[in-house]
Amino acid sequence: MSKKIQAIRGMNDLLPADSQIWSFLDSTINNLLLSYGYKYCRTPNVESTETFSRAIGEVTDIVEKEMYTWKDNNGDSLTLRPEGTAGVVRMMIEHNLPREGIQKVFYSGPMFRHERPQKGRYRQFHQVGAEVFGALDAKIDAELISITDILWKSLKINAQLEINSLGSTASRALYRETLTRYFNDNKDRLDEDSSRRLKTNPLRILDSKNKDLEALISEAPKMIDHLDKESNKHFEALKNYLEHLDIPYTVNTKLVRGLDYYNQTVFEWVSDELGSQGTICGGGRYDGLVEKMGGNPTPAIGFAMGLERIALLIQDKYKELFSDRPHLYFLSMGESAHCESMKLSRQILEVMPHITITNDITMGNLKSQMKKANKSGADYAMILGDEELAKNVLSFKPLKGQGVQQSIELEGIIQHLQEIL
Ligand code: ATP
Ligand code: MG
């Protein structure tokens, strides 16, 4: 036997038995975003490397060590997308969309990062993200947060909202100087990673997960105390909206997020049921990015949520959250009955597309087909053999204890199904 080929570590198959939860998540999130006026868009899984290095920032975990990058046959450097915003911004600029007014969009799909695989952290994972272009007011920051809050409520997920403000680009630059001075004065207390970041991106030191740095970081000057007037006003307005919407939050002054492009509002939703992979959604404002990527200055804000982590949180309870599609198992015996069952299935599904019909294709005897019907998890069996055909009826058998077997006229079957399903 030849050697078996395996999938790449951290890149998982979605097995048919587990796919229901993903369809459910997809439709729940899509419907919610559509109902708030967000339109679906899709960008390629592969972009030029520069799309990401310029947008995300050279000195970030993603660009420094997590991207899958290679040269194609022309020598162009290409990258599997590690996140969704950079591509959407590239798309907005390339197609001049912000010129047409405020753009509210969402995307969904795989992202790729070369990380150490563990529970809740994979090398191919899936995100849904939403982005708004052309809106400066904190009302839109609040709307995006509110949409995610509604989603957690509908999925019965318990998550805590953390918010922070990174201020305007100008106030952030001043703060960066203050922070650099502080860490420089305490250089001997920094670890290797942070010493490096001190030169390249000192704000990221605040993000460090090293427990030894905890005290140093909590005593560090805080961005929130260095906001300029406009940034302060924006942050206060956001907090006001959140209070108005009854969305509890905590201000986490250490929240800077891993990507360089953020300014003003940043936020994360964290669940304490997932260990250190607890962040299920993160977002923020990136007012300078469109210009940095070659477009006209356009304020923007967005979020991205990790679907694997959300699926982990609801895997034990999602069956309570939605009802299965009604499932009929169609047994037929004999050539005429096979033909009739296929035709009838088509007619039924034409008027009842929300149900599932499994047409038995084994052509076994009644007993063996019935065994399969029971195993399939179907709600009802419909049985068609010569005897039934002669009388123009089919036998309709509940499989989950919902009554007794009945004989139903073929002509009346759709009406009967509409009454009970
Ligand atoms: P983390 O701090 O957990 O590494 P991050 O800040 O790198 O997260 P973002 O880039 O903000 O993550 O992506 C948004 C969301 O995507 C995260 O909150 C998380 O739910 C999910 N996510 C990020 N990386 C992974 C991964 N490798 N595997 C699974 N989900 C991920
Ligand atoms: Mg990460």
Side-chain angles (χ1 to χ4, degrees):
M1 239 201 306
S2 311
K3 192 169 162 257
K4 267 193 266 176
I5 300 174
Q6 288 187 326
I8 294 163
R9 211 162 80 86
M11 300 198 178
N12 302 317
D13 296 312
L14 173 62
L15 300 179
D18 304 327
S19 63
Q20 243 181 343
I21 191 169
W22 284 81
S23 314
F24 163 67
L25 268 181
D26 266 357
S27 59
T28 308
I29 300 173
N30 287 2
N31 283 333
L32 177 61
L33 284 161
L34 289 169
S35 71
Y36 273 82
Y38 289 69
K39 291 200 174 118
Y40 177 71
C41 66
R42 186 173 61 207
T43 63
N45 288 357
V46 177
E47 298 261 357
S48 69
T49 303
E50 200 192 351
T51 307
F52 305 111
S53 54
R54 206 186 319 165
I56 299 167
E58 295 283 354
V59 196
T60 53
D61 281 353
I62 293 182
V63 174
E64 276 182 340
K65 51 190 185 205
E66 294 175 359
M67 295 205 304
Y68 284 92
T69 294
W70 72 98
K71 286 229 150 72
D72 80 351
N73 293 345
N74 315 326
D76 297 332
S77 181
L78 305 182
T79 293
L80 275 176
R81 62 177 184 189
E83 57 93 61
T85 302
V88 173
V89 169
R90 197 257 323 125
M91 174 193 84
M92 284 286 153
I93 298 168
E94 193 168 330
H95 301 276
N96 248 323
L97 301 182
R99 263 227 310 244
E100 294 163 20
I102 290 179
Q103 300 288 313
K104 290 182 168 186
V105 298
F106 71 101
Y107 60 84
S108 170
M111 305 295 159
F112 305 84
R113 296 186 194 174
H114 195 275
E115 304 199 67
R116 194 169 68 78
Q118 53 197 291
K119 188 179 168 199
R121 191 175 294 285
Y122 312 97
R123 290 180 172 173
Q124 175 175 332
F125 60 100
H126 298 77
Q127 286 184 337
V128 171
E131 319 278 0
V132 180
F133 295 86
L136 201 52
D137 199 278
K139 190 174 173 190
I140 201 70
D141 308 30
E143 177 178 283
L144 283 167
I145 293 176
S146 169
I147 290 173
T148 45
D149 179 60
I150 293 167
L151 181 64
W152 314 142
K153 291 212 163 82
S154 74
L155 297 176
K156 298 194 174 20
I157 285 178
N158 193 0
Q160 277 71 48
L161 172 64
E162 297 183 357
I163 60 172
N164 191 21
S165 174
L166 300 179
S168 63
T169 316
S171 65
R172 197 170 153 185
L174 283 177
Y175 170 65
R176 191 183 154 124
E177 280 174 27
T178 313
L179 196 65
T180 308
R181 228 172 295 129
Y182 170 79
F183 283 127
N184 251 324
D185 292 344
N186 294 281
K187 233 181 184 159
D188 46 329
R189 293 167 69 187
L190 293 176
D191 60 10
E192 203 188 309
D193 224 26
S194 305
S195 303
R196 197 170 46 88
R197 284 182 171 152
L198 180 55
K199 294 193 195 83
T200 52
N201 193 350
L203 260 74
R204 290 299 313 282
I205 301 177
L206 301 177
D207 216 16
S208 167
K209 292 187 173 106
N210 185 348
K211 287 255 177 284
D212 297 340
L213 295 184
E214 229 166 62
L216 181 69
I217 289 171
S218 57
E219 287 154 24
K222 297 179 177 39
M223 182 67 233
I224 209 94
D225 301 326
H226 292 75
L227 295 178
D228 55 27
K229 217 168 136 202
E230 270 307 298
S231 307
N232 235 327
K233 215 170 117 197
H234 189 93
F235 199 46
E236 287 307 312
L238 170 64
K239 290 194 286 187
N240 249 321
Y241 286 128
L242 292 178
E243 276 149 35
H244 221 78
L245 290 164
D246 270 333
I247 302 175
Y249 61 84
T250 49
V251 175
N252 174 358
T253 55
K254 287 184 281 186
L255 185 66
V256 295
R257 311 264 306 119
L259 302 86
D260 250 6
Y261 49 58
Y262 290 111
N263 67 297
Q264 307 287 18
T265 310
V266 285
F267 63 94
E268 280 188 359
W269 285 97
V270 185
S271 154
D272 55 16
E273 290 168 45
L274 290 170
S276 51
Q277 269 62 254
T279 308
I280 51 174
C281 174
R285 210 164 242 293
Y286 49 91
D287 295 330
L289 185 60
V290 176
E291 193 177 7
K292 190 174 169 203
M293 295 290 281
N296 296 320
T298 308
I301 177 166
F303 66 67
M305 55 180 77
L307 294 179
E308 278 80 2
R309 294 185 192 176
I310 296 170
L312 279 171
L313 284 175
I314 63 168
Q315 67 183 0
D316 297 328
K317 58 183 178 206
Y318 82 96
K319 286 209 187 282
E320 300 158 25
L321 299 169
F322 81 114
S323 44
D324 276 339
R325 293 167 68 87
H327 183 185
L328 308 177
Y329 197 96
F330 210 149
L331 300 73
S332 59
M333 272 72 58
E335 199 47 45
S336 320
H338 295 329
C339 289
E340 190 57 34
S341 73
M342 277 200 282
K343 195 165 143 198
L344 207 53
S345 301
R346 266 179 79 144
Q347 288 166 349
I348 296 169
L349 289 175
E350 224 168 67
V351 278
M352 303 182 76
H354 64 285
I355 68 172
T356 295
I357 299 180
T358 304
N359 239 304
D360 192 290
I361 44 167
T362 58
M363 303 181 173
N365 60 24
L366 177 63
K367 202 171 152 203
S368 81
Q369 289 193 38
M370 203 60 208
K371 232 171 154 177
K372 292 196 184 72
N374 278 311
K375 211 175 146 197
S376 74
D379 303 295
Y380 297 94
M382 298 195 292
I383 306 157
L384 200 59
D386 290 338
E387 212 177 292
E388 282 89 0
L389 270 184
K391 293 192 213 148
N392 233 0
V393 296
L394 59 72
S395 302
F396 194 79
K397 184 176 181 186
L399 297 177
K400 293 184 173 163
Q402 329 83 309
V404 292
Q405 182 166 327
Q406 284 173 274
S407 192
I408 295 174
E409 301 249 340
L410 288 184
E411 276 189 358
I413 183 68
I414 290 181
Q415 197 190 337
H416 179 71
L417 291 173
Q418 283 175 327
E419 276 161 20
I420 61 163
L421 299 177

